[in-house]
Amino acid sequence: MPKVEMNLTDYLRVIRKRKRIIALSFILVFASTIYYTGKQAPVYNTTCKVKIEQRKSVAEILTELITWSPGDQMASQANIITSYEVIKNAVIKLGYIEPNMAEEEEMPIVKAYQGQISTEQIEMTNIISITATSSDPEQAAKLVNTVAEVYKETHFENKKKEASNVREFVEGQLDSYALQLRQSEEELQRFREANPLVVERISTNASPAQVNPRITSLEQEIVKAELELISLKSKYTDIHPKVISLRRKIAKSKQDLSMAIAELSAQQKDLSSKEIRLVQLKRNVSMGQDVYMMFRTKHEEARILEAEKAEDVAIIEKAMVPAAPIKPNKKLNMIIGIFSGLLIGLIMAFVSESLDTTIGRIDDIEELLKVPVLGIIPYTGLEKRKEGLLGLFKKEDKTSDVPDLHKSLVALFDPTSVAGEAYKSLRTNLDLTGLKKVGNAIVITSSAPQEGKTQTLCNLGISMAQAGQKVIIIGSDFRKPMIYKLFGLKRSPGLSEVLIGKAHWQKAINTATDILLGGL
C-alpha cells in the first residue's frame, strides 16, 4: 500500500471503519471498571483533633538555662499517638482484646488496628489530627476517639510521674546539700574560735579570692554544671554518656579552681596559711548557701507542678461517624473507565488499521494496480455481510439463496436510486474508455464469493440494454449459479452443457420473450 500522510479526514475514516472495535473495547473496559468498583469493599475514615500545650519541660524546672533539644516536639507527639502502647491500651479499652492476652496473640491484632491510625500536624499550629480508616464507619469513629482519650490520659499520667520523680530527686539532693552547708558552717565557726586574730584581720580586708575574676568564674561554672547534672539525672541514669561527660567537666572545673587558688596563694605571699584557710572556709559556706537556696526554690516549684491538675492535651474536635465512604470513588472510577475505554478503543482501531493489508481506498487501488477505477457500486443488500464467529451458530436459511428482485435488479426496478445511477455511471465510463475498440466482451470477477459479481453483471447488462445496446449475459458460476433465478429462467441448458457438447449455444440463449414467459 502506498504510504501517504494522514489528515483529519483519514483519522475520521479510520474511526468510522473501526467503530465496532472501538465500541467493543469501550464496553469491555467500562464493564470491567464497573465490576471492579462493585467488588471493592467501602472504606471510611474520620478525624479527631487534639491540641497540645507546650509547657516547660522537666529540665526547665531545675534550671533556667535554655537547652537545645533535638527533634520536633510536635512530630514526636504524633509518633507517640500511633505507638504500640497507646494503640494497645485503646484496643483493650474498647474490649477488642483481653488485658492478660499472650503477646504473640495480641500483637497481630494491635498491629492491625495500629495500621488504621495515622496522624498529621496541622501546619503552623500545635494541633494534631488523628485519622482512623476502616470498612466499618462506627468502628472508625470509636477507635479514633478512644485513641485520643488514651493518649490524653497517658500524657497526663507521664507528666505527673515525671513531676513526682523530680520532687523526690530534689528532696534527696536538698538534704544532702543542707548537711554539707551545716558542716561547712561548723568548720568555719571552729576555725574562727581557734584563730580570733586571723578573723579580725581578714574581716577588715577583702579576700583576694573574692576579687579574683577567674576564681569567681570557675565557681559560677561549677554551680551551673552541678545544676545541669541534677537535671540530666532526672531523665537519664548514671551511666548515660551525657551524665558521664558532665561529671568529667565538673571534675575538670574543680581541678582548675584548685589550681587557680593555688596560684593566687603563691602570689599573695603576705597572707599566712591560716588566712588562706579562712578564705577557703568562707567560700565553701557561701557556695553551699547558694546551692541550698537554689534547691529550696526548685523543691517548691516541683511540689507546685506535682499538685497541678492542668492538662497539656485537650481534645478540641471529636470524630463523627462518616456518612459516605472515601473508597471506592465511583464517579472518578466511572470517568476513568470511560476515558480509558475510549483511549484503548482508539489505540486498537489504529493498530488494526496499521496491520490491515487490504485495499480500502480508490487511491490505493489505482496506485497498486496502475489502472483507473471506472465506478463505485454502493451496497444494496444482496451481498451477505460477514458475521464472524456468531454466524457459525446460526441455522442456514434454505430460502436465502433466492434474492429479492427489487433489491438485486436496481437498474430495472429503481433506476433513479443511488445504486441505479452508479450502474449507469459505470456503463458510461466503459463507453468513454474505448474498450469497444479492443473487444466487446467484459468479464466480471472477484477474489471471493458473495461479493456482488452476479448483481453487477446483471445490472450492468440491463443498463447497457436500456441505452440501446445489444447485450448477452453469460453466467459462468458453476459452483452456485444465480442468474437464472434472477430472471426466472430454467437452469438448463446452460454454459456447462454447451462446453461438454450436450447442447448448441443458440439453444442455451434466452431472449426477452423467455424472460417474460418465465418457466412456461
Side-chain angles (χ1 to χ4, degrees):
M1 293 177 63
K3 294 183 178 179
V4 296
E5 184 178 355
M6 296 183 65
N7 52 32
L8 181 59
T9 304
D10 296 326
Y11 287 117
L12 294 177
R13 178 184 60 81
V14 173
I15 292 174
R16 288 195 299 269
K17 181 179 179 182
R18 307 293 179 179
K19 58 185 178 182
R20 292 185 177 180
I21 295 178
I22 297 174
L24 180 61
S25 301
F26 174 77
I27 292 173
L28 289 177
V29 174
F30 191 68
S32 300
T33 303
I34 296 176
Y35 178 78
Y36 174 75
T37 302
K39 285 294 183 179
Q40 280 187 310
V43 177
Y44 301 84
N45 74 344
T46 183
T47 301
C48 173
K49 295 180 180 179
V50 295
K51 181 180 180 182
I52 302 175
E53 296 291 345
Q54 296 183 352
R55 303 176 186 272
K56 286 185 178 182
S57 63
V58 178
E60 292 175 324
I61 298 174
L62 300 175
T63 178
E64 297 297 331
L65 297 176
I66 300 177
T67 57
W68 175 76
S69 176
D72 186 358
Q73 181 67 17
M74 295 301 296
S76 300
Q77 294 301 320
N79 287 321
I80 292 175
I81 293 174
T82 58
S83 64
Y84 183 87
E85 288 300 325
V86 173
I87 303 299
K88 175 184 174 181
N89 293 334
V91 173
I92 292 175
K93 189 173 183 179
L94 289 171
Y96 296 153
I97 62 174
E98 297 295 332
N100 55 352
M101 184 179 292
E103 184 176 357
E104 59 272 11
E105 296 179 1
E106 74 175 18
M107 182 173 292
I109 302 176
V110 176
K111 286 291 184 180
Y113 286 105
Q114 190 177 14
Q116 298 179 9
I117 299 296
S118 61
T119 57
E120 181 183 5
Q121 179 186 358
I122 299 178
E123 188 176 0
M124 304 301 294
T125 65
N126 59 337
I127 298 175
I128 296 178
S129 62
I130 310 172
T131 303
T133 304
S134 176
S135 57
D136 186 351
E138 295 184 359
Q139 184 200 48
K142 289 181 181 179
L143 179 62
V144 71
N145 288 329
T146 306
V147 168
E149 291 289 345
V150 170
Y151 167 69
K152 178 181 177 181
E153 296 170 359
T154 303
H155 190 278
F156 182 71
E157 292 298 327
N158 290 339
K159 176 184 173 184
K160 287 184 62 177
K161 183 178 179 181
E162 195 173 5
S164 178
N165 293 337
V166 170
R167 179 188 57 78
E168 293 175 359
F169 176 78
V170 171
E171 285 179 352
Q173 296 295 320
L174 185 62
D175 295 339
S176 175
Y177 281 106
L179 179 60
Q180 293 180 12
L181 176 61
R182 186 163 56 253
Q183 291 175 352
S184 298
E185 290 175 343
E186 292 175 355
E187 187 176 0
L188 176 60
Q189 182 63 28
R190 288 194 299 270
F191 183 83
R192 284 178 173 176
E193 292 175 355
N195 303 280
L197 297 177
V198 175
V199 173
E200 184 63 26
R201 178 180 174 183
I202 296 301
S203 63
T204 57
N205 297 284
S207 170
Q210 292 178 351
V211 297
N212 188 286
R214 184 184 177 190
I215 294 176
T216 304
S217 176
L218 289 172
E219 290 175 349
Q220 294 177 354
E221 184 178 347
I222 292 172
V223 172
K224 291 180 180 180
E226 289 182 347
L227 291 175
E228 188 176 354
L229 176 62
I230 295 170
S231 174
L232 291 177
K233 289 176 67 177
S234 66
K235 296 190 294 183
Y236 308 116
T237 61
D238 292 339
I239 61 175
H240 195 274
K242 290 186 177 181
V243 176
I244 296 174
S245 176
L246 189 58
R247 282 181 173 175
R248 292 175 180 173
K249 181 179 178 182
I250 294 173
K252 181 66 170 55
S253 299
K254 289 182 178 181
Q255 184 179 359
D256 293 342
L257 178 61
S258 300
M259 293 176 61
I261 294 173
E263 292 176 359
L264 181 61
S265 299
Q267 294 174 359
Q268 302 294 331
K269 294 184 179 181
D270 57 335
L271 293 176
S272 63
S273 59
K274 292 184 178 181
E275 292 174 339
I276 296 174
R277 178 60 179 165
L278 179 60
V279 171
Q280 293 177 347
L281 292 175
K282 292 180 68 177
R283 183 182 64 252
N284 292 340
V285 172
S286 177
M287 289 179 59
Q289 289 176 345
D290 293 340
V291 174
Y292 178 75
M293 293 305 298
M294 175 71 71
F295 271 87
R296 282 291 300 271
T297 302
K298 300 305 177 183
H299 179 257
E300 295 301 325
E301 292 177 359
R303 289 179 57 191
I304 294 173
L305 183 64
E306 185 181 11
E308 193 178 46
K309 299 298 183 181
E311 296 181 344
D312 294 343
V313 178
I315 301 175
I316 61 174
E317 182 180 329
K318 285 194 172 184
M320 306 298 291
V321 177
I326 59 170
K327 293 180 182 179
N329 191 337
K330 294 184 179 180
K331 292 183 178 179
L332 179 61
N333 288 355
M334 294 302 105
I335 293 174
I336 294 175
I338 291 172
F339 282 101
S340 300
L342 292 176
L343 179 61
I344 294 175
L346 291 174
I347 292 174
M348 294 297 295
F350 284 99
V351 169
S352 300
E353 183 67 18
S354 65
L355 297 176
D356 188 4
T357 58
T358 59
I359 298 174
R361 299 189 301 175
I362 298 175
D363 297 339
D364 299 338
I365 299 174
E366 293 179 343
E367 181 69 21
L368 182 63
L369 302 179
K370 305 300 181 182
V371 293
V373 174
L374 299 178
I376 301 174
I377 308 301
Y379 174 76
T380 58
L382 178 64
E383 304 88 346
K384 293 184 178 179
R385 291 184 178 271
K386 295 181 180 179
E387 298 177 347
L389 295 177
L390 295 177
L392 299 176
F393 302 97
K394 289 185 177 181
K395 294 183 178 179
E396 185 178 358
D397 189 359
K398 299 295 184 178
T399 62
S400 61
D401 57 347
V402 180
D404 188 353
L405 292 179
H406 292 276
K407 288 184 178 180
S408 303
L409 304 178
V410 291
L412 179 62
F413 293 101
D414 194 6
T416 59
S417 65
V418 176
E421 294 295 334
Y423 287 114
K424 293 178 183 180
S425 177
L426 175 60
R427 177 198 66 194
T428 303
N429 291 336
L430 287 171
D431 292 338
L432 295 176
T433 55
L435 292 177
K436 292 182 179 180
K437 296 179 182 180
V438 296
N440 57 0
I442 300 174
V443 177
I444 297 177
T445 184
S446 68
S447 60
Q450 300 295 334
E451 289 186 343
K453 297 183 292 294
T454 301
Q455 182 181 4
T456 303
L457 175 63
C458 294
N459 283 282
L460 180 60
I462 293 172
S463 298
M464 288 180 174
Q466 289 173 343
Q469 300 176 7
K470 292 183 178 181
V471 182
I472 180 172
I473 300 175
I474 301 175
S476 56
D477 188 352
F478 296 106
R479 188 182 66 87
K480 195 174 182 181
M482 291 290 296
I483 294 177
Y484 77 94
K485 295 181 181 179
L486 288 175
F487 292 102
L489 301 173
K490 295 180 179 180
R491 181 170 181 175
S492 60
L495 180 61
S496 59
E497 284 80 6
V498 173
L499 292 177
I500 64 178
K502 288 185 176 182
H504 194 270
W505 67 271
Q506 291 179 344
K507 293 183 178 181
I509 295 176
N510 294 284
T511 62
T513 304
D514 297 321
I515 296 174
L516 291 174
L517 296 176
L520 296 178

